[in-house]
Amino acid sequence: MNTVITFQEHLSEFLEKFDDLSRRYDHTINNCSELGSLIDAYSKFITDDRNKEAWEQLERQESSDLNQLVVGLRKKSALCVAIMEKYRAFKLQNGNVEMTDYFQNIESCIEKEFGSFRVTSKSKVLLVGSGSFPMTPLLIAKRTGAEVVGIDIDDEAINLGRNVVERLGAGLNIRLEKALVENLNYTKDVTHIIFSSTVESKYDILDQLHKLTNENVVVAMRYGDQLKSLFNYPSRDVDGQKWRQVEKILRPDHVFDIALYKKA
């Protein structure tokens, strides 16, 4: 029981720190190092096998306080990852590209994003939740030559992301737009769709996309279940008449896993 109590105390401490650092964001790089260290520590915490048993014991208690804590951690950690991307974009504007453990963890898995459904130079890729430092569009476009479109609902993220693409991906076929999927005029042509793991409404958007996309589209849904659900929005059941899961890519050492969907 002491292990469970200690584990829950750690979660509360993480939430308190995320909440504090998100409040201190002032559109400058102040607090950048402190937030980077916190996100790296949290990434290691949720991928540490030693924490799995304590999480499972805690989850069995079905406490409303725990549910509130988990929801708070998801929201605040997602917000802080978005802020960390902004810090990274600000630093790039000043000529400094810094790679934290968290970003290395994300980038190391992008090549295997679609499993056997390869992206080629003829592919058209849509990323939902592109953020301020659009690593996925840059890496996909650079390595495959595919056309990549990233969308986000954050004005600052789109502006910073465009600056990053201009500096690191000049000449690549990348577009970033502030838009909702229902307002895109090229969705029928998209061959591959990626959802960021920190987009809360990703499964609702997936449901919307069924009637907006072509029959051969492949969707890579980044998610985190169990312990990883503390840092990502978890997987959900889908409407079996619309989508079917064709592959699940589990990566114990990474902060999220991937579920691949095709139309039913």
Side-chain angles (χ1 to χ4, degrees), residues 125-137:
V125 183
L126 172 65
L127 173 63
V128 180
S130 52
S132 303
F133 206 100
M135 302 174 290
T136 299

Side-chain angles (χ1 to χ4, degrees), residues 190-201:
V190 168
T191 60
H192 298 74
I193 299 173
I194 302 172
F195 279 91
S196 168
S197 67
T198 54
V199 173
E200 184 173 3
S201 58

